[in-house]
Amino acid sequence: MKIVTFGELMLRLQPFDYLRFVQSSDYEATFGGGEANVAVSLSNFGLDAYFVSKLPTNEIGQSGLNSLRRYGVHTDYIVRDNENRMGIYYLEKGASQRPSKVIYDRKYSAFYFSKESDYDWDVIFKDAKWFHISGITPALNENMAKISIMACKEAKKRGVIVSCDLNYRNKLWSKEEAKITMSEIAKYVDVCIGNEEDASDVFGIKSSETDVNSGKLNKEGYKDVARQLKETFGFKKVAITLRTSISAFDNKWASMLFDGEDYYFSKEYNVHIVDRVGGGDSFSAGLIYALVNDYSSKDAIEFATAASCLKHSIEGDYNMVSVDEVKKLISSGGSGRVQR
C-alpha cells in the first residue's frame, strides 16, 4: 500500500546527554523532520512509504538519504540539488523544569529553494492510497506554501486520502500567516491532526477551561474543538493529541478521535521521556496505519496513541517500533516488564 509524505529532511545536531548549547563542544548528528519521521514509522509498520523532498548532492545530503533507506523508505521522488545546503535544526534536551529548546537553521536549504517543476505529482501519486503533510512545510516560505497547496490539491484530484498535522511553529511564521495558508490547505484535507494548542494557534478554535501550561486539560472541551473543525472545513476525521506536561521528563499522554459521528478517547499513559521530538509524527503514522488497515475508530486511536507513547522512549526523531510492539503495549497496559 503506497503512502506518500512531503517535507524537509534535516540534519539534527544535539549536545550529548543534557548539556546546554553554551556548555557543549561536541554534538551528536542524526537526521529527522516531521514528514520524514512519519515515513520511517510507516515503513517500520510494513507499508510502502515514499518520502518526497529535495536534498543536496553532497555527502551530508547522501547521509540523510541513507538514513531513510536504512529503514526501508522509498526515496525515488527525492530531488537532488548541487547548489544548496541541507537544513539543520539544533536540539537542546530539557530536564526537570527546564524545557527543551530548538534552533532552526534551514533558510536557503535545497528544500527551501524547491520549484514547482521539481515534483511530478502524476508520477508521485500513481497508485497512492494516502498523502501526508504538516504545517511545517508551508511555513518555510511563500513558495513552499504554494507547492504544499498544490500537492494537496493534486492528491485530492486523484482520489488520494489527505492527512495534515497542523504542527504550528511560531519560529517559522506568524499565526496570521498560518491561518491564511492552512485554511487553503484544509480545503483538501480528509484527516486533520493537531495538539491542544494547534487548533487555537492556527484557526482560533479553542477548548474551554484549558490552560496547557497549568497541566489542566478538559477533555470534554475538545469534543467541541473537533466539531468546530469539522463544521468549518469539512474534515472527515479530526484527531487531537492530549499532553499533560508535568515536567520535561514526565508527561501524561492521550488522544481523541472524532470520526464525524462519535468521539473516542484513548487510554492515558504516564510517560517518562527519553526523547519527545517526533512524538506527534509517530502519532500521525500510527493513525494512518490503523485507518488504511480499516481499524475501528476506537482501535485506531488506541494504536496511534500507543505508537506515540513508545516513541517517547526512543532517542532520535525516528520511531523504531513494530506493529507487534505497539499491540503488545495496548494489551499489556504498559508495565515495561522485561520480555523473555
Side-chain angles (χ1 to χ4, degrees):
M1 191 177 298
K2 182 178 179 180
I3 313 293
V4 177
T5 74
F6 175 57
E8 182 171 29
L9 180 70
M10 292 175 289
L11 175 66
R12 165 175 159 167
L13 296 177
Q14 172 187 316
F16 287 90
D17 299 318
Y18 291 92
L19 292 178
R20 305 213 67 185
F21 289 133
V22 295
Q23 290 179 286
S24 185
S25 58
D26 300 300
Y27 286 75
E28 180 182 17
T30 54
F31 297 93
E35 295 88 348
N37 299 341
V38 173
V40 170
S41 284
L42 291 172
S43 183
N44 285 334
F45 290 155
L47 298 181
D48 286 325
Y50 288 75
F51 180 58
V52 182
S53 192
K54 192 171 188 177
L55 289 173
T57 55
N58 60 34
E59 289 85 352
I60 305 303
Q62 188 62 45
S63 295
L65 195 75
N66 293 346
S67 78
L68 297 171
R69 289 175 173 168
R70 178 182 180 183
Y71 299 107
V73 175
H74 296 279
T75 58
D76 311 51
Y77 308 136
I78 294 180
V79 180
R80 305 306 295 271
D81 181 328
N82 61 9
E83 295 182 356
N84 297 296
R85 67 185 190 89
M86 189 168 192
I88 301 171
Y89 86 91
Y90 299 86
L91 173 67
E92 179 185 279
K93 290 179 68 174
S96 191
Q97 277 66 48
R98 174 171 60 84
S100 296
K101 181 180 291 185
V102 169
I103 297 175
Y104 289 117
D105 180 20
R106 55 199 302 184
K107 200 170 185 179
Y108 310 131
S109 68
F111 186 71
Y112 182 94
F113 285 116
S114 289
K115 302 186 294 288
E116 292 183 11
S117 59
D118 285 333
Y119 308 109
D120 187 340
W121 301 112
D122 279 326
V123 174
I124 292 168
F125 289 135
K126 187 177 187 301
D127 300 322
K129 172 75 173 180
W130 197 291
F131 175 61
H132 179 76
I133 194 171
S134 82
I136 297 175
T137 298
L140 294 179
N141 56 54
E142 287 187 16
N143 185 55
M144 287 312 308
K146 291 178 182 177
I147 294 175
S148 298
I149 293 168
M150 175 184 289
C152 294
K153 186 176 182 179
E154 292 296 319
K156 193 70 172 176
K157 185 167 70 176
R158 291 166 175 78
V160 179
I161 299 170
V162 178
S163 61
C164 179
D165 185 343
L166 297 179
N167 253 346
Y168 176 70
R169 298 289 184 267
N170 62 14
K171 291 186 177 182
L172 295 178
W173 60 353
S174 69
K175 293 178 181 179
E176 293 73 22
E177 290 171 320
K179 184 174 183 179
I180 292 170
T181 298
M182 297 307 293
S183 294
E184 184 64 25
I185 285 177
K187 296 177 182 179
Y188 310 104
V189 172
D190 299 290
V191 180
C192 177
I193 302 165
N195 64 23
E196 63 268 21
E197 297 172 88
D198 288 335
S200 173
D201 288 338
V202 177
F203 299 124
I205 297 174
K206 300 180 181 180
S207 166
S208 60
E209 300 178 22
T210 296
D211 179 356
V212 296
N213 295 313
S214 72
K216 178 185 178 184
L217 290 175
N218 174 21
K219 291 183 178 180
E220 290 300 312
Y222 289 101
K223 291 183 179 181
D224 184 51
V225 169
R227 180 187 56 77
Q228 289 184 63
L229 286 169
K230 175 177 170 48
E231 290 179 353
T232 302
F233 300 106
F235 302 134
K236 294 179 181 177
K237 299 181 190 296
V238 177
I240 299 176
T241 57
L242 305 173
R243 182 189 297 274
T244 303
S245 185
I246 300 168
S247 71
F249 284 138
D250 295 288
N251 287 181
K252 293 182 178 181
W253 181 248
S255 63
M256 185 203 78
L257 178 65
F258 177 47
D259 64 5
E261 295 181 2
D262 210 343
Y263 304 87
Y264 301 87
F265 285 90
S266 75
K267 172 187 174 178
E268 185 176 73
Y269 293 91
N270 294 316
V271 180
H272 187 73
I273 296 171
V274 171
D275 190 336
R276 67 165 283 181
V277 176
D281 305 320
S282 61
F283 175 84
S284 295
L287 186 64
I288 292 168
Y289 174 84
L291 293 177
V292 297
N293 282 285
D294 298 321
Y295 282 34
S296 69
S297 294
K298 177 60 177 173
D299 289 343
I301 201 62
E302 292 293 357
F303 186 91
T305 308
S308 186
C309 173
L310 288 173
K311 165 61 193 79
H312 286 74
S313 72
I314 297 170
E315 287 279 7
D317 270 54
Y318 299 155
N319 190 21
M320 294 172 279
V321 300
S322 66
V323 170
D324 185 58
E325 288 173 313
V326 177
K327 289 182 176 179
K328 283 181 178 177
L329 172 57
I330 295 170
S331 63
S332 71
S335 64
R337 291 176 62 86
V338 175
Q339 296 179 5
R340 303 181 189 273

